[in-house]
Amino acid sequence: MRLRNVYHLSVKEFLHMIRDRRTLVFLLLMPTVLTVVFASAVGNSKVTGIKMRVVDLDHGKIAEEYLKDIGAAETFALEIKANATEADLTQAEEDLDRDKIKAIVVLPKDLTTNLMDGAGGEVKAIVDGSDTFAAPAVLRELGGVAVRHNMKLAAGFLLYEGIVKSEQQAKLRVAPVDLKIDVRYNPELKAQNFTMPGVIGLILQLLTVIVMATSIARERERGTFEQLSVTPLKGAEIFIGKLVPYFILSLIDTVNVMIVARVLFGVSLSGHYGVVTALVVVFVLGSLGIGQLISVVSKNQAQAVQLAIFYTMPVFVLSGAFAPLETLPGNVRPIAYLFPLTYFCRSFRAALLRQATFSDVGFDLLAMFAFAVLTFGLSVLLLRRQPTSR
Amino acid sequence: MADDVISTEALSRRFGTLEAVKNLTLTVKRGEIFGFLGPNGAGKTTTIKMLCGLIAPSDGKGTVVGYDIRTQRDEIKRATGYMAQHFSLYPDLTADENFRFFAGVYGIFGKEADQRLKELFERVDIMHKRKEQAGRLSGGLKQRLALACALVHKPQLVFLDEPTAGVDPAQRQKLWDLLYDLCQEGTSLFVTTHYLDEAERCHTVGFMLGGELIDKGAPHALRQTLRGKIIGVYSEQSVVAMRALKTLPQVSDVTIYGYELRVFMREASTPQAVEGALRRAAEKASVKIDRVYAVEPTLEDLFMAYERSSAATSAEAQAEAS
């Protein structure tokens, strides 16, 4: 391999890039715009404003307290039917059927009276399970409300019966063990802090794979690849020469995206520069390698784009960019480790949020590097075997 | 032989079950313009690709500019130029940038590249368009630019795959003048073409048909093989006359050129000898024949004759098989 040849190809590739202004602008803006979209839409893991109706058949004091507790949760957009009748309950169930509301809480008749008499009571929750995002959030929130409310009631009884002297003591009796929480690295539990490193990885991968996949396919489509093939250029020289301008472009995009994440979403990006740079460089190389592999096996640009999408789509879901790998079923999880993005998401997150060092991300770096070498080597081999080239 | 710029022996190339080139034994003399003719799918492009080191032969051996086509492909690439069938430069780069890229790839840059550019661009007369994007050049200019790029490293032999396809006659003339100049300086040229009038300009031509080289020689010598076998007939009802004449057993084919019919005889003859038979056949179909005369065979006639005989042999082979 001669560096001089790589240089000539890079210059040519760079000229292609700046000649096609529209594509260049797109390549520079796309990552930034996608970052804004992903960060504002996917970043929020908290579900809010679920429509829920409370049907109060009890009309008593306890129901009133219960309502207050539910109303405090921002998960719900509450509609309260005070002084309700059986007809209101029927109406509510119909509304649930028509998807006007997602959940109903029924405070039964005589709830207050029964509890005062020392008998138990039952609050009924009807939840629309077809919405797998809203339903679990409703159940979690209602569970919390039930526990808090029971504690309040129990403490009230203790005080009322004279077993304890003060509210403070009552609280100790009812809930003697307190949970002390210490959240590190992302104390506000900001969802963007988790998703942002993954989003950066996704965008970088999308960009590099598609751009690289079309590069050789384009030459093949135009017939210029034939002309390249009769020159003394070697496959590896062609690949590296083509890679350099896109590699530089990807690095510029990375910086752009990280600035946007920082300025617009306040994502803390404070890793060791060396580690962060090494991770980005190795990851981008691996993605470009995949792009090249796709490019070698495609006959034209359309095929290349199809293959690129076919590769990037499953990776979206499997790599742990938006949701942790733990959300994948156990038998699917090993597949995730076939993609460099999986290693990148994990290590980049560690580097940005936990200031990981080289020894922390060593394995991930190695895995991604191996991937880059593998895809690159395979592309060169495949290119050599093709009849219309060397 | 040192005087042969190309020399192959029983060269074959198969793609799966398809035998694109069969047993090709071919020599091309140094300093010649060699015309490589044949219909589409005859194996011309496959042959060129084997000769310039793009694909490996399945069988046989050969040398190009003295290098082995199996083991010394890199040397061949450095000593030969290639101008593809379709425009294969970068349309978004300027003429200048295209040239400098290919120069660089062959290790020519800096002052040397400037000098080469000036020399070649002036030669192909494209200096005034050097800053224009290659994709915006006219067909003729594109071809000339491609030629300049193919010549950047002073190759001993240049392959031109249908260099004048889709180029107007004036531009074709200009390109051929350039090719003769090159040849004069000692560069050998290997040209494929569909235009048979163009083939006449070559020093030697070879005919490919069904993957085989079926004939080779100087254009005029090849044409002489048809001497006496083609008789010209003038008739103002040429289509009807053609149908009538085709029925004769001694006539193998008839082609129409306006009011002129070119009648292919199975055996060499003279117009005087066959006139009677031709006129009788025409009368039977009540068509008037004005004149019967001798015509000079063209490469086109030759081409048709080859195709016809190959179709006849394959029909025979089929008949025997069944």
Side-chain angles (χ1 to χ4, degrees):
Chain A
M1 208 189 66
R2 289 143 299 181
L3 273 180
R4 201 190 64 218
N5 284 349
V6 172
Y7 165 78
H8 286 302
L9 253 160
S10 298
V11 169
K12 168 184 93 72
E13 231 32 63
F14 179 73
L15 285 173
H16 288 317
M17 207 156 84
I18 58 168
R19 275 306 132 70
D20 191 356
R21 290 283 159 78
R22 212 175 282 187
T23 306
L24 182 64
V25 168
F26 175 74
L27 291 179
L28 283 172
L29 283 184
M30 187 243 321
T32 318
V33 173
L34 281 187
T35 305
V36 175
V37 172
F38 278 131
S40 30
V42 185
N44 211 344
S45 62
K46 214 166 178 180
V47 186
T48 54
I50 300 169
K51 279 191 189 141
M52 183 167 84
R53 186 173 303 166
V54 181
V55 182
D56 180 9
L57 300 169
D58 177 46
H59 318 256
K61 192 161 171 280
I62 286 179
E64 223 170 84
E65 296 268 325
Y66 209 92
L67 275 175
K68 246 189 253 162
D69 275 348
I70 295 176
E74 59 176 9
T75 312
F76 306 122
L78 219 53
E79 275 173 52
I80 297 168
K81 273 266 174 266
N83 302 320
T85 59
E86 287 292 334
D88 287 318
L89 182 58
T90 322
Q91 176 66 40
E93 295 213 25
E94 264 175 38
D95 287 348
L96 189 75
D97 270 350
R98 292 199 202 107
D99 204 23
K100 282 189 183 159
I101 51 176
K102 292 278 179 199
I104 310 168
V105 170
V106 188
L107 302 173
K109 206 167 175 328
D110 302 329
L111 180 67
T112 308
T113 339
N114 285 345
L115 287 183
M116 285 308 190
D117 290 348
E122 198 176 63
V123 173
K124 195 166 155 196
I126 305 165
V127 182
D128 172 4
S130 67
D131 184 337
T132 54
F133 274 100
V138 170
L139 293 178
R140 206 179 315 127
E141 197 62 48
L142 285 179
V145 169
V147 169
R148 277 200 299 282
H149 196 77
N150 275 334
M151 273 164 42
K152 214 188 273 177
L153 281 176
F157 278 123
L158 289 180
L159 206 62
Y160 177 76
E161 307 229 324
I163 299 169
V164 293
K165 297 276 177 304
S166 67
E167 259 185 60
Q168 193 63 35
Q169 279 178 324
K171 224 179 201 165
L172 268 176
R173 280 294 181 89
V174 179
V177 180
D178 200 10
L179 181 65
K180 186 104 186 102
I181 293 170
D182 176 9
V183 179
R184 301 222 174 150
Y185 312 122
N186 183 15
E188 304 118 87
L189 284 180
K190 224 166 131 160
Q192 273 104 350
N193 274 338
F194 177 83
T195 44
M196 217 52 219
V199 165
I200 293 176
L202 262 185
I203 293 169
L204 271 182
Q205 167 166 288
L206 195 71
L207 179 85
T208 48
V209 170
I210 291 186
V211 158
M212 206 65 214
T214 50
S215 70
I216 290 175
R218 188 191 309 128
E219 298 232 11
R220 202 165 273 165
E221 199 172 293
R222 283 186 184 164
T224 51
F225 198 75
E226 210 175 66
Q227 197 71 48
L228 274 189
S229 308
V230 294
T231 67
L233 282 176
K234 297 262 176 269
E237 290 165 354
I238 295 178
F239 278 143
I240 298 179
K242 281 185 166 291
L243 189 142
V244 171
Y246 295 117
F247 178 69
I248 294 170
L249 182 82
S250 309
L251 293 191
I252 294 174
D253 278 334
T254 313
V255 174
N256 272 353
V257 165
M258 285 173 72
I259 290 173
V260 169
R262 177 88 211 223
V263 173
L264 289 185
F265 299 97
V267 176
S268 62
L269 303 166
S270 53
H272 297 296
Y273 287 127
V275 179
V276 171
T277 312
L279 286 171
V280 170
V281 166
V282 177
F283 173 66
V284 166
L285 284 179
S287 298
L288 289 171
I290 267 287
Q292 285 185 331
L293 200 56
I294 290 173
S295 204
V296 171
V297 299
S298 311
K299 286 213 166 58
N300 52 47
Q301 292 191 75
Q303 278 183 9
V305 170
Q306 283 158 11
L307 269 176
I309 290 173
F310 183 68
Y311 171 78
T312 46
M313 288 307 273
V315 177
F316 262 57
V317 190
L318 289 171
S319 61
F322 294 132
L325 281 185
E326 286 75 12
T327 58
L328 294 176
N331 50 352
V332 177
R333 231 176 279 173
I335 300 173
Y337 289 101
L338 296 176
F339 305 112
L341 186 60
T342 307
Y343 300 95
F344 180 74
C345 283
R346 183 169 80 178
S347 54
F348 200 49
R349 218 166 258 153
L352 290 184
L353 300 179
R354 287 187 269 128
Q355 281 83 44
T357 59
F358 272 111
S359 57
D360 295 327
V361 298
F363 176 75
D364 301 281
L365 266 177
L366 211 66
M368 289 192 285
F369 187 71
F371 192 83
V373 171
L374 196 77
T375 48
F376 191 77
L378 209 59
S379 317
V380 174
L381 274 181
L382 282 175
L383 189 69
R384 208 173 278 166
R385 287 195 44 184
Q386 282 176 359
T388 47
S389 63
R390 58 218 59 244
Chain B
M1 269 217 298
D3 261 15
D4 290 336
V5 75
I6 294 172
S7 158
T8 72
E9 230 184 285
L11 206 61
S12 300
R13 172 70 204 201
R14 285 179 294 273
F15 294 106
T17 54
L18 175 80
E19 229 180 341
V21 175
K22 299 175 203 163
N23 265 323
L24 178 71
T25 300
L26 174 74
T27 52
V28 174
K29 273 201 238 121
R30 190 176 288 275
E32 257 193 355
I33 300 183
F34 181 82
F36 202 41
L37 316 175
N40 289 330
K44 291 178 310 214
T45 300
T46 308
T47 305
I48 286 203
K49 283 186 174 174
M50 282 195 281
L51 293 177
C52 55
L54 283 184
I55 55 176
S58 313
D59 263 312
K61 56 183 182 180
T63 59
V64 170
V65 292
Y67 298 113
D68 190 297
I69 59 167
R70 283 179 185 279
T71 56
Q72 294 177 298
R73 291 201 215 174
D74 275 346
E75 285 83 352
I76 292 177
K77 284 178 184 174
R78 289 185 179 283
T80 61
Y82 173 68
M83 193 173 136
Q85 194 167 357
H86 307 285
F87 179 65
S88 61
L89 299 178
Y90 299 99
D92 50 336
L93 302 192
T94 63
D96 225 78
E97 288 160 347
N98 267 298
F99 184 84
R100 281 175 199 281
F101 169 64
F102 286 104
V105 163
Y106 286 102
I108 301 163
F109 41 89
K111 281 236 165 64
E112 201 189 342
D114 292 343
Q115 200 196 326
R116 229 26 219 139
L117 184 135
K118 191 166 175 289
E119 191 185 314
L120 282 169
F121 273 26
E122 274 172 2
R123 176 167 206 168
V124 303
D125 191 21
I126 201 173
M127 209 56 178
H128 57 297
K129 298 274 192 186
R130 53 186 288 193
K131 297 284 178 209
E132 211 150 304
Q133 291 193 358
R136 296 197 182 148
L137 297 175
S138 69
L141 281 172
K142 274 182 185 162
Q143 290 303 77
R144 271 143 59 193
L145 174 62
L147 182 65
C149 289
L151 294 173
V152 62
H153 55 299
K154 300 185 177 159
Q156 302 175 39
L157 166 68
V158 183
F159 293 97
L160 299 113
D161 199 356
E162 308 212 358
T164 53
V167 174
D168 68 57
Q171 293 285 350
R172 265 163 77 183
Q173 181 61 47
K174 209 162 174 175
L175 193 81
W176 272 98
D177 289 347
L178 281 168
L179 297 186
Y180 277 119
D181 270 355
L182 276 172
C183 183
Q184 191 62 41
E185 290 160 23
T187 309
S188 311
L189 299 164
F190 189 99
V191 185
T192 71
T193 180
H194 273 312
Y195 300 111
L196 291 157
D197 57 319
E198 239 172 56
E200 304 267 5
R201 301 172 185 245
C202 300
H203 297 123
T204 309
V205 293
F207 273 100
M208 281 289 273
L209 200 62
E212 285 173 296
L213 183 73
I214 56 168
D215 216 341
K216 191 195 140 194
H220 69 92
L222 290 181
R223 280 192 273 114
Q224 289 317 304
T225 60
L226 280 185
R227 182 160 284 276
K229 283 194 174 180
I230 299 178
I231 307 294
V233 171
Y234 190 92
S235 166
E236 279 176 6
Q237 294 160 282
S238 46
V239 179
V240 193
M242 176 185 78
R243 287 197 197 116
L245 297 182
K246 270 189 176 174
T247 57
L248 284 172
Q250 61 268 49
V251 170
S252 64
D253 199 8
V254 181
T255 53
I256 306 182
Y257 290 80
Y259 293 123
E260 181 182 271
L261 297 175
R262 294 175 84 87
V263 182
F264 291 70
M265 308 305 293
R266 291 195 198 278
E267 303 297 333
S269 182
T270 58
Q272 293 77 21
V274 293
E275 187 164 0
L278 295 181
R279 284 197 183 277
R280 275 193 297 281
E283 258 164 48
K284 220 191 258 176
S286 50
V287 192
K288 194 171 159 253
I289 282 179
D290 296 302
R291 271 182 295 132
V292 176
Y293 48 91
V295 292
E296 189 64 18
T298 63
L299 279 180
E300 187 127 1
D301 296 329
L302 195 64
F303 197 84
M304 297 306 294
Y306 288 142
E307 286 220 69
R308 204 165 36 240
S309 63
S310 125
T313 29
S314 65
E316 261 171 47
Q318 264 181 354
E320 263 171 47
S322 66

